[in-house]
Amino acid sequence: MVLSACSKPHEEERKYALPGSLCGVEVAPDLLSPFLPPGEELSVKEDVPDGGTETCELFIDGKPGLFVKQIWWREEDSIAEVASVQAMVGTGEVSSDQKYLHSGTGAVGRPAGCVDSDHPQQKLYTVIQVFAVGRDDKSTMKQLITDYTTTVEKSAACPHDVVSSSR
């Protein structure tokens, strides 16, 4: 009994429910768990600040926890270049297919096949940033960015046609 009580200290201290989606993109709550600290209340702020960027910010008791965004970026830039200007991502480890870069506190992914006439010569990227102090889990971040990016690939956020039906 003592072992089971000690094995999940973060869950016992967490008074809020883990979300099952981030800005409408489904995610497994167990993949978010390592990055969200104990606390009383989780609040979410969604925004579309500019040029097709969408952000979803999770706050725990009013403090920054985890931020996710979808952003259109110059197609000539590498994933490492995109990651280099994202807070909390760091240099990270790049996947062999150059589709993902992840560290313990952040990641960047590139959904395949996303094209949009509103964003010519740009690629869609997904970004995850952990601002909660002391939350670092490289293997879970790798799975989270992979799952999140794959779900975005299959969503309306990733248009596959440049031809508009209004033409």
Side-chain angles (χ1 to χ4, degrees):
M1 290 251 206
V2 174
L3 287 177
S4 65
C6 294
S7 66
K8 296 185 178 185
H10 298 298
E11 284 75 15
E12 289 179 6
E13 298 169 3
R14 199 178 277 137
K15 303 274 196 247
Y16 59 88
L18 291 169
S21 70
L22 297 171
C23 291
V25 177
E26 286 187 30
V27 294
D30 62 320
L31 293 178
L32 295 176
S33 182
F35 306 111
L36 297 174
E40 297 288 322
E41 181 182 7
L42 177 134
S43 58
V44 179
K45 178 184 174 195
E46 296 182 26
D47 196 11
V48 183
D50 62 29
T53 297
E54 293 183 29
T55 64
C56 188
E57 302 173 347
L58 278 60
F59 294 87
I60 310 305
D61 299 336
K63 296 177 185 169
L66 182 130
F67 293 5
V68 177
K69 63 182 162 183
Q70 298 169 27
I71 185 170
W72 290 92
W73 202 271
R74 297 182 306 226
E75 67 182 352
E76 68 269 12
D77 288 349
S78 71
I79 198 160
E81 289 170 312
V82 175
S84 72
V85 297
Q86 308 300 323
M88 310 312 291
V89 176
T91 54
E93 181 180 319
V94 179
S95 63
S96 60
D97 61 4
Q98 302 292 306
K99 188 173 174 177
Y100 303 101
L101 181 148
H102 73 283
S103 68
T105 57
V108 175
R110 190 181 71 238
C114 302
V115 291
D116 188 345
S117 59
D118 291 338
H119 305 284
Q121 300 173 340
Q122 293 184 325
K123 294 178 187 173
L124 183 64
Y125 286 89
T126 54
V127 179
I128 300 173
Q129 302 162 298
V130 178
F131 288 92
V133 177
R135 297 292 165 157
D136 184 312
D137 185 331
K138 195 171 183 178
S139 63
T140 302
M141 181 58 71
K142 181 178 182 179
Q143 188 64 51
L144 178 58
I145 192 64
T146 302
D147 288 5
Y148 183 81
T149 302
T150 300
T151 302
V152 168
E153 256 175 28
K154 298 173 186 174
S155 76
C158 180
H160 294 281
D161 292 320
V162 289
V163 178
S164 171
S165 59
S166 63
R167 289 187 189 171

